[in-house]
Structure formats: structure tokens, C-alpha cells
Amino acid sequence: MSNQKFDFSISGAGLVGCLVASQLSKAGLKCCLIEKNTIRDIPSFNNYSPLSLNYRSCLILKKFGIWENILPHLYPIKNLKIKSYHSLNRLEFNAQDINLNELGYVIDRRNLLQEFLNYIKSLPNIKIFDQESINSFQENAEKKDHKLYAKLSSGLSIESKYLIVSDGVESKIKHKLNIKSLEINYSQVSFVFNSNGLFEKNNAIQIFNKFGIFAAIPYGDKKINLILTINKKDIPLFFNNKNEINDIMLKNIFNDHIKELSDLNFVSQYDLVTSRSKDVSAGKIIFLGNSSQLLHPVGAQGFNLAIRNIDSLMNFIDKGKLDITSLTNEINSLRESVFNNIDLATNILGGDKLPSKVMSFFIINLLKSSKSMKNTFLKNILGINKFSYLNIGTDI
Ligand SMILES: Cc1cc2nc3c(=O)[nH]c(=O)nc-3n(C[C@H](O)[C@H](O)[C@H](O)COP(=O)(O)OP(=O)(O)OC[C@H]3O[C@@H](n4cnc5c(N)ncnc54)[C@H](O)[C@@H]3O)c2cc1C
């Protein structure tokens, strides 16, 4: 049987694979999405699984033409408060300070994926192979414009110019290519809860204390997500022997920000292990999303970084050809700055040793004392510094 031919094959149809496929299709390129599970409409759910999109991501999604589809599912975040250890170490960021209406938005990740799936179904040039995965692949390196040949689990053979790997942190392709990852285990577990409460509308909070990192991110005017990243040794303080959450601990932690906390509803939990791939490309294979970097959620950056990587990918495609060297350089430099920001936040703001506490006191007070430094810092978090080609400050 002759091979099916594509410009790009994509392994993994999660948020990243679907978004890449949509953009390749819009650029007139033929691609296939290979997903190990069945691709079908997401069944209804009765909780909220939050994903934060920063301002830069929103601008890119708008440019990608998918903004209108996700708009009905978004809840805007206008202010972010950070508190490190005690009340003197508080910092507040407001969208208005940098002439924006919002810092970003929160969306349920399943709604986002469903909208991406709807979007790709409406576009041409995307072939979906679900309940499939790549069993083996090889590059024909003899010719200059060499192709990649992949054999799928069903036995089907496909041929493509490039392969995008977006099949998650356990990517088999990555293992086959022997691409190592730097793993950091924070000895913490993140628990996500939905709850009701009274709080300032559109305000998100991040609290660093001796038990871990505690975020409260609203998804409605009286509904809020609590993301509790707790040191493993302190977990027993937060749960009783029936595994019920100790709401007195939570009320104490969020007391300044949320009143009448009630109806706590467990959503998910995961061990906090970060994985950062040493290489983001190999020959004509590019790694994106969780296959490339699984991040500490402190900056809520994982998907935000992937969106920027997809934007770079699209910028380095010219007449169907991808400049992999330039793309790799750009992705690497972006990753480095994001990793540095995350390490700074986790080590300094979250560190419980005296030097970290002194340092965080110093940094927070430095930012408080200079409006321009604070605004530059905020623009860095939102990914909008040195970013001229889209209008900042206008309604999206
Ligand atoms: C609790 C939590 C909160 C988060 N919050 C944020 C946030 O607020 N903001 C943010 O930017 N990021 C956040 N992240 C990170 C974000 O979720 C990830 O960056 C994003 O989901 C990565 O998507 P992905 O498509 O790369 O990977 P995945 O979602 O892991 O998708 C991989 C896909 O590949 C498929 N697959 C796996 N193996 C194979 C195979 N062998 N062959 C074919 N298909 C395969 C899987 O079935 C899946 O569909 C959060 C993560 C977690 C866990």
C-alpha cells in the first residue's frame, strides 16, 4: 500500500497538537493528527478544571483566529495579588497600571479542548488518525530534502516533511530518540478545588508560605478555584483521616481575601515534578507542549509557553519549509527566560530559608518602590515586553 503523504505529521491531539494542526491548515499545509485515544466530543462535566491564559496568549489566540470560539468560556482576571510569607511582603498588580483591561483569562481546559476540536473539524487539510500511535519512524537522510517515514500501530504508513511531537511528558518518540529531560521534584502535591466564596471580583491571589504555594483564581463572581501546592510533609495538616480537607487551614490562609468559603469540591491532584527536555528538536522532529516542558504551575506557564512556541513555529514556516535552526534558537531562548522566572518565584518567593526570605522582602519592596520597575516586571509575566506587532491595551 502506498504511503499517505503530508507536510506535517503531529503525534498527540491534546491542546497543543490541535492548535498546531489548526494553524498549519490555515497556512495551506497538509497535516495529520495521530492520537492514541478516541477523538470524540468531551462529555459534560460538573466541576471546573482551570487553565489560565496570560495576555500574550490571548493576543496570539486572537491572531490565530480562534478567539471568538473560546470567548463565551472565559472569565477575566484584572488584578493579581502576591503575598510571600507575611503581610509586609505583598505586591499587587492591576491591569490598569499598564493600560490593559485584563491581565488574562481563566478557562475550563475541557471547554478549551472542545473548542479546538470543533475548530479543526471545520478546517481543510487535517486528517485525523485516532486510536493510533507512531510505532516506528525513520528519516531518509540521503536526499537533501529528506522525508520522515512513520509506521502507525494499525500498520498504516505515512510520509511527511516534518514531525511535531506533542504527545505529552511520557512521549515514546522522545525516549526512542534518547532525548533526556531535566527533572525537578519539588516534594509537593498540587490539589485543585472549586469553591464558593465572597471576594473581590476578577482578583487572583498567590500566597507563598511555609506550607507551600496557594493560589485562588476566580472563575465566576462567587466561584473560585483553590490551587493548593502543599509540601508533602505538611499534607497531613490539610486533610483528616477521611481525606477531607481541613477548611480551617484554608480559611486561615485565604482569610484576607476570601470570606464565607464554602462547598469545597475536589477536582484533581498531581505530584509536582517538573520536566524540561534538553533538546526541543532532532533533525526534522520538533517537540512542543508537555513533550518539551512540563512546568511548575506557579506562573501558570505551561500552555502559555506552548502557545508562544506555536507562534514561533508558524513564523519560521516559509513556502511550506520550516527553518528548524532558527525555530530551535528562538524556542530555547524563550524557554530559558520562562524557566528563570519560574525558578526565581519558586526558590526566592517560595523558599523558607532565611536568605530566600530576605531576598523576597528585598525584591518585593524594590518593585513596590518603583512603578516603572513593577510595570516592567508585570509585562514580563504577561509575556508582552518587547512585543510590538500586536496592539497592546486595546479591547480583545
Ligand atoms: C492542574 C494543571 C493546571 C495547569 N494550569 C495551567 C495554566 O493555568 N496555564 C498554563 O499555561 N498551563 C497550565 N498547565 C499546563 C498545561 O495543562 C499543559 O501545558 C498543556 O495541557 C499541554 O498540552 P499538550 O497538548 O502538550 O499535552 P497533553 O495535554 O499531555 O496531551 C498529549 C496528548 O497526546 C496523546 N498521546 C499520548 N501518548 C501518545 C502516543 N504515543 N501517540 C499518540 N498520542 C499520544 C494524549 O492522549 C493527549 O491527547 C496546567 C497543568 C496542570 C496539570
Side-chain angles (χ1 to χ4, degrees):
M1 207 189 343
S2 65
N3 293 340
Q4 296 205 33
K5 294 181 185 168
F6 302 94
D7 295 303
F8 284 77
S9 45
I10 304 164
S11 176
L15 289 173
V16 171
C18 290
L19 192 59
V20 179
S22 72
Q23 297 313 299
L24 292 172
S25 160
K26 288 178 73 179
L29 297 166
K30 207 173 158 204
C31 62
C32 66
L33 260 173
I34 304 155
E35 166 59 46
K36 73 170 180 186
N37 292 323
T38 310
I39 297 185
R40 58 188 160 95
D41 283 350
I42 297 170
S44 62
F45 39 88
N46 58 5
N47 58 16
Y48 193 96
S49 183
L51 187 104
S52 304
L53 297 172
N54 68 24
Y55 195 80
R56 176 69 166 268
S57 298
C58 300
L59 292 174
I60 297 172
L61 291 173
K62 191 180 181 198
K63 183 174 102 171
F64 281 179
I66 188 148
W67 187 251
E68 294 301 320
N69 308 48
I70 65 173
L71 202 53
H73 306 291
L74 295 169
Y75 183 82
I77 301 296
K78 295 174 186 281
N79 303 302
L80 169 66
K81 287 181 183 153
I82 295 179
K83 182 175 157 190
S84 172
Y85 281 87
H86 53 73
S87 296
L88 283 176
N89 279 7
R90 277 170 194 264
L91 199 56
E92 191 169 335
F93 297 104
N94 298 308
Q96 280 173 348
D97 290 347
I98 50 171
N99 298 324
L100 299 181
N101 290 326
E102 292 86 21
L103 298 175
Y105 290 83
V106 181
I107 188 165
D108 185 299
R109 62 176 57 242
R110 294 154 299 189
N111 282 329
L112 186 62
L113 182 59
Q114 182 66 63
E115 291 300 345
F116 284 2
L117 288 169
N118 294 344
Y119 193 50
I120 58 173
K121 280 179 199 156
S122 72
L123 294 170
N125 298 328
I126 305 174
K127 171 90 183 159
I128 293 177
F129 298 109
D130 65 351
Q131 295 180 301
E132 282 275 27
S133 52
I134 294 179
N135 266 3
S136 62
F137 57 91
Q138 64 180 66
E139 274 188 62
N140 182 353
E142 279 157 27
K143 291 187 195 155
K144 193 165 171 269
D145 194 16
H146 62 265
K147 301 269 181 355
L148 284 152
Y149 298 91
K151 194 121 191 146
L152 305 192
S153 42
S154 64
L156 202 72
S157 294
I158 58 168
E159 183 184 316
S160 62
K161 293 181 193 155
Y162 304 95
L163 167 62
I164 309 274
V165 179
S166 53
D167 53 16
V169 70
E170 300 295 342
S171 171
K172 290 194 178 118
I173 296 172
K174 203 166 125 181
H175 291 302
K176 273 187 191 147
L177 289 168
N178 203 20
I179 293 182
K180 302 276 179 249
S181 295
L182 169 70
E183 299 221 328
I184 308 171
N185 192 332
Y186 294 89
S187 290
Q188 291 175 318
V189 180
S190 279
F191 299 88
V192 181
F193 284 87
N194 299 152
S195 82
N196 292 334
L198 299 179
F199 47 84
E200 269 179 72
K201 268 169 56 173
N202 310 105
N203 255 279
I205 301 137
Q206 191 140 42
I207 298 167
F208 297 81
N209 71 21
K210 63 179 178 178
F211 302 117
I213 306 169
F214 298 84
I217 305 173
Y219 62 103
D221 289 349
K222 288 184 180 160
K223 292 188 173 298
I224 194 154
N225 296 292
L226 304 181
I227 299 154
L228 319 172
T229 298
I230 308 175
N231 304 328
K232 281 190 175 162
K233 64 179 170 50
D234 297 319
I235 291 174
L237 298 172
F238 284 80
F239 293 91
N240 66 19
N241 49 15
K242 286 189 198 148
N243 237 353
E244 291 158 344
I245 185 89
N246 177 345
D247 46 5
I248 295 174
M249 284 293 271
L250 293 190
K251 280 178 184 159
N252 285 340
I253 287 173
F254 292 111
N255 191 33
D256 289 353
H257 312 281
I258 312 171
K259 304 290 176 210
E260 296 182 31
L261 198 59
S262 65
D263 300 322
L264 268 107
N265 184 18
F266 172 79
V267 180
S268 59
Q269 75 176 72
Y270 55 99
D271 257 30
L272 210 60
V273 180
T274 282
S275 163
R276 296 170 186 173
S277 186
K278 298 241 190 236
D279 299 303
V280 295
S281 65
K284 299 182 104 186
I285 303 173
I286 301 109
F287 298 88
L288 291 177
N290 277 349
S291 307
S292 166
Q293 62 256 330
L294 185 75
L295 294 183
H296 192 295
V298 67
Q301 293 287 359
F303 187 56
N304 288 305
L305 178 56
I307 293 181
R308 290 183 69 178
N309 293 163
I310 298 169
D311 192 30
S312 301
L313 169 85
M314 297 313 301
N315 291 337
F316 285 113
I317 293 177
D318 184 25
K319 298 191 185 84
K321 284 200 170 173
L322 174 61
D323 177 353
I324 295 194
T325 310
S326 303
L327 173 67
T328 304
N329 290 340
E330 183 160 305
I331 289 181
N332 278 335
S333 87
L334 188 55
R335 274 161 51 104
E336 201 180 309
S337 72
V338 170
F339 294 167
N340 287 343
N341 285 342
I342 289 172
D343 293 342
L344 179 91
T346 47
N347 295 333
I348 295 187
L349 295 179
D352 65 351
K353 302 264 170 3
L354 188 65
S356 298
K357 286 187 182 171
V358 172
M359 198 68 163
S360 75
F361 180 79
F362 176 73
I363 291 176
I364 287 182
N365 283 288
L366 191 69
L367 293 174
K368 271 192 209 165
S369 68
S370 157
K371 210 171 179 177
S372 81
M373 269 172 73
K374 196 175 110 175
N375 289 347
T376 306
F377 182 80
L378 177 58
K379 286 182 185 171
N380 275 333
I381 302 177
L382 303 184
I384 54 176
N385 248 353
K386 302 180 203 137
F387 190 53
S388 54
Y389 73 89
L390 285 171
N391 244 349
I392 305 295
T394 51
D395 271 343
I396 28 181

